[in-house]
Amino acid sequence: MDRRWIQNPNRCADEYLDRIEDFIEFARRHNPGATRIRCPCRRCNNTLWETIENVGFHLVRNGMIETYSIWNLHGEQLEHASSSNATRVDNVQPIVDANDQVMDIIQDVFPFASTNMNQEEQDDVPTPIDSAEFEQYEKLLKNANQELYPGCESFSVLTAIVELMDGKIKYRMSNLCFDYFLGVFKRMLPTDNCLPKDHKQAQKVLNGLGLGYEKIHACKNNCMLFYKEHESLDTCPICNESRFKMTSQNRTTKIPQKVMRYLPLKPRLQRLYMSTHTATDMRWHKEKRVDDDVMRHPADGEACKEFN
């Protein structure tokens, strides 16, 4: 069965919606009596279980995993699927070492490092590097090469933090819950392990990857942000509410009553275009439009050749 519709970016197309209904019917038929099934949307990634109705909603909203062309987790037999999808071997994902993936991320974030290394090998003058960026690069490289504990070959310090933070986000784990399990894991590991003790320390390590955010104090009643020209104010000019919390002795602390976490868009877009793994996905609309124009308006010579 042709399942190229999974990669259709237009999830409002009639074909896509019809195929989603076919998948839901397939799941019902192969899981009789089941109230929940794995959700193959891009957000749940076949790891979360949802009601069949919610799965259909997720697939329309988030789209199906593009590589999930063999529905073996929903009852499809691998033998039958492999024979019907024999030509789609490109969907098989190779097993990649987690440590290698982290090193690829570092190279994407700091492309100047590999560029300067290549230039030094060619005895050329290296490109000047910002000292602050190079310091971040050295810290990340140290954590990427440092074993989680002596003798551990599967995880470096950075790899372990990335894996744990990925699970925290995927399963919507609170910081308090994350701190608890991080403490449990740290006690389970050998005493000389290098795992961070809490979420705050783990976040500091990942800040070098550009995954941080900016904290902006906000009014308790959502009147305004203490930002730019209002950054130095201690009370809201609209409702006169204090910017900071008060102690039981009616003393002002430096703890804000409300905080907005701002994720700057520009550096994240730059990162997506910078990475070799995501740059192609970011350009698909441009390249697809060019391909469509070529198909719609072929060269005169090619058109004549096809006509003849």
Side-chain angles (χ1 to χ4, degrees), residues 51-247:
T51 62
I52 296 181
E53 291 75 14
N54 282 346
V55 168
F57 174 74
H58 282 201
L59 292 176
V60 174
R61 183 183 64 182
N62 304 324
M64 184 179 287
I65 307 170
E66 293 186 359
T67 57
Y68 191 50
S69 60
I70 301 176
W71 299 338
N72 57 298
L73 296 178
H74 294 84
E76 185 170 11
Q77 297 297 322
L78 291 178
E79 293 80 5
H80 177 268
S82 59
S83 61
S84 62
N85 293 276
T87 60
R88 297 193 58 77
V89 294
D90 57 306
N91 283 332
V92 179
Q93 295 294 322
I95 300 175
V96 182
D97 184 76
N99 293 320
D100 292 339
Q101 287 183 322
V102 168
M103 293 302 296
D104 289 343
I105 294 173
I106 295 177
Q107 291 178 5
D108 287 337
V109 177
F110 302 99
F112 61 78
S114 57
T115 301
N116 275 266
M117 290 177 61
N118 295 334
Q119 288 181 346
E120 288 177 0
E121 291 176 359
Q122 299 173 4
D123 297 329
D124 292 334
V125 178
T127 305
I129 303 173
D130 181 76
S131 58
E133 287 190 6
F134 188 72
E135 184 178 353
Q136 287 183 341
Y137 168 74
E138 284 190 319
K139 288 181 179 178
L140 287 170
L141 193 63
K142 178 182 177 181
N143 288 320
N145 292 323
Q146 185 177 8
E147 295 177 341
L148 184 60
Y149 57 86
C152 178
E153 299 179 356
S154 302
F155 288 94
S156 67
V157 176
L158 186 58
T159 304
I161 294 174
V162 169
E163 290 276 358
L164 291 171
M165 293 293 282
D166 178 62
K168 176 186 183 299
I169 296 171
K170 183 181 295 183
Y171 298 106
R172 303 179 181 89
M173 192 182 300
S174 67
N175 291 351
L176 189 62
C177 181
F178 184 79
D179 288 347
Y180 170 77
F181 282 107
L182 202 61
V184 172
F185 294 153
K186 190 169 182 66
R187 294 196 302 271
M188 288 180 178
L189 295 174
T191 55
D192 50 354
N193 72 82
C194 301
L195 191 69
K197 65 178 183 179
D198 55 25
H199 174 263
K200 188 175 181 179
Q201 283 192 357
Q203 190 67 42
K204 284 183 179 180
V205 176
L206 295 184
N207 281 342
L209 293 174
L211 302 178
Y213 51 81
E214 181 181 352
K215 292 183 179 180
I216 302 176
H217 297 179
C219 172
K220 178 182 178 181
N221 298 320
N222 301 321
C223 299
M224 56 161 288
L225 296 176
F226 294 95
Y227 186 61
K228 291 186 177 180
E229 66 271 15
H230 303 304
E231 188 174 1
S232 60
L233 299 179
D234 291 336
T235 58
C236 174
I238 300 174
C239 65
N240 294 323
E241 186 69 38
S242 174
R243 174 179 181 174
F244 302 103
K245 293 182 179 180
M246 306 291 291
T247 64

Side-chain angles (χ1 to χ4, degrees), residues 4-19:
R4 284 177 291 182
W5 60 269
I6 296 175
Q7 302 177 6
N8 187 351
N10 183 9
R11 295 194 289 274
C12 295
D14 292 339
E15 179 192 7
Y16 187 88
L17 297 176
D18 291 341
R19 298 292 81 79

